[in-house]
Amino acid sequence: MIQNTIDDYNTALSAFVPKFTKRTEHLPKASAEQVAETIYGAATDELPQLRYVIGEDALFYIDLKNKNSEADFLRLMQA
């Protein structure tokens, strides 16, 4: 569980995290090596890119956001 020091936030966080992770539990996660390689590549390339997708679980949520309206995405994330 994500560590948090704001007590009022713990209730919302403890409800959100299990739903968030359950949706992608079947997808392969990025390895530590893939994350390190991506961070290194981002730090050393000359591209004006701000975001890098690492792992199919991240891609799932990016696709979910891109394929839905803002209202639908928020509804899906809160479900």
Side-chain angles (χ1 to χ4, degrees), residues 1-2 5-6 11 13 17 19-20 23 27-29 37 42 44-46 49-50 55 61-62 65 69 73 75:
M1 179 90 183
I2 297 171
T5 58
I6 303 170
T11 302
L13 189 62
V17 170
K19 287 191 272 184
F20 185 79
R23 291 179 181 139
L27 297 173
K29 309 301 185 259
E37 288 173 355
T44 59
D45 69 24
E46 307 228 354
Q49 184 173 342
L50 296 175
Y61 283 107
I62 291 168
K65 181 163 181 15
S69 68
F73 176 71
R75 183 183 51 74

Side-chain angles (χ1 to χ4, degrees), residues 19-32:
K19 287 191 272 184
F20 185 79
T21 56
K22 181 143 182 76
R23 291 179 181 139
T24 60
E25 67 187 1
H26 64 288
L27 297 173
K29 309 301 185 259
S31 68

Side-chain angles (χ1 to χ4, degrees), residues 30-76:
S31 68
E33 183 176 323
Q34 290 170 313
V35 173
E37 288 173 355
T38 303
I39 291 170
Y40 179 79
T44 59
D45 69 24
E46 307 228 354
L47 299 174
Q49 184 173 342
L50 296 175
R51 292 174 183 84
Y52 295 79
V53 180
I54 310 170
E56 290 184 39
D57 52 337
L59 185 58
F60 172 85
Y61 283 107
I62 291 168
D63 284 344
L64 190 67
K65 181 163 181 15
N66 289 337
K67 292 176 180 175
N68 289 282
S69 68
E70 188 72 13
D72 287 343
F73 176 71
L74 290 174
R75 183 183 51 74
L76 290 166

